[in-house]
Amino acid sequence: LNEMVDMIKLNTMEMDVDTFCEMVAFVGGLLSLVCASGLVQHGLLFFILVILYYFLTAISGVFYSFQWDILLLETGFLTALCYAPWLTLRLHSSSSSQNHDHQQHHLLSSSSTTLGTHPIRLLLFKLMFMSGVVKIQSNCPTWSNLTALEYHFATQCLPSPLSWH
């Protein structure tokens, strides 16, 4: 943690870890809103979001070391690298014509068809495979005897037929 604090020192102004995390979260939230709204979509923007989230995972240690946090980083990296347009900066304007919308759709589809869905499918396979490996390595008798699903449905928050009323 001391190495991170040393890394965060900016010129003559020192910034503590909490302030840095809040600043990273605020900037990440703003960039996410810009990206989700469709105003600007560029691979660099997605890559900056991945780097900001990586800072949060590196600083927080055990708190962000769960499987879904790593999956979020990997998915963000794949989005930035494979699916977000890198060659053109797409700005959305409200006065765009239908032809311009078609060109934007073509840009998005042409950038995503280069690799297709193979990277995301590989990531999904890795997620499912590693989830199974962890459960088998746990030496839990319910997973070893293949009876874990008997307990799964009993312990999940599945809605009952009366939950609508």
Side-chain angles (χ1 to χ4, degrees):
L1 189 60
N2 290 334
E3 296 150 5
M4 280 294 194
V5 172
D6 291 338
M7 181 191 78
I8 296 172
K9 291 180 183 175
L10 303 172
N11 296 335
T12 59
M13 184 178 91
E14 288 190 21
M15 187 181 307
D16 64 338
V17 177
D18 291 337
T19 307
F20 181 73
C21 287
E22 288 175 5
M23 188 175 70
V24 166
F26 181 75
V27 170
L30 285 178
L31 290 178
S32 297
L33 284 175
V34 168
C35 194
S37 68
L39 293 175
V40 178
Q41 291 186 348
H42 193 268
L44 184 61
L45 182 65
F46 287 102
F47 194 66
I48 290 170
L49 285 170
V50 171
I51 290 172
L52 290 175
Y53 193 73
Y54 178 74
F55 278 140
L56 291 177
T57 58
I59 289 173
S60 61
V62 179
F63 187 69
Y64 275 103
S65 64
F66 294 106
Q67 183 179 16
W68 51 83
D69 295 310
I70 297 167
L71 178 67
L72 185 60
L73 281 170
E74 292 171 341
T75 306
F77 181 74
L78 282 179
T79 301
L81 189 64
C82 301
Y83 300 109
W86 278 89
L87 299 177
T88 58
L89 179 63
R90 296 183 340 154
L91 297 174
H92 182 273
S93 63
S94 59
S95 63
S96 62
S97 65
Q98 191 174 21
N99 187 23
H100 183 67
D101 290 340
H102 177 68
Q103 288 174 350
Q104 284 184 345
H105 176 47
H106 178 67
L107 280 174
L108 183 61
S109 63
S110 66
S111 67
S112 63
T113 57
T114 307
L115 295 173
T117 58
H118 297 300
I120 294 292
R121 288 181 183 187
L122 184 64
L123 183 63
L124 181 62
F125 171 77
K126 178 186 166 245
L127 171 71
M128 299 304 285
F129 182 75
M130 294 307 290
S131 295
V133 167
V134 165
K135 288 172 177 70
I136 291 173
Q137 286 180 341
S138 69
N139 292 327
C140 179
T142 57
W143 286 104
S144 300
N145 298 334
L146 300 177
T147 59
L149 283 181
E150 292 175 11
Y151 303 103
H152 174 74
F153 293 113
T155 59
Q156 292 301 307
C157 300
L158 299 174
S160 69
L162 298 176
S163 64
W164 290 102
H165 303 288

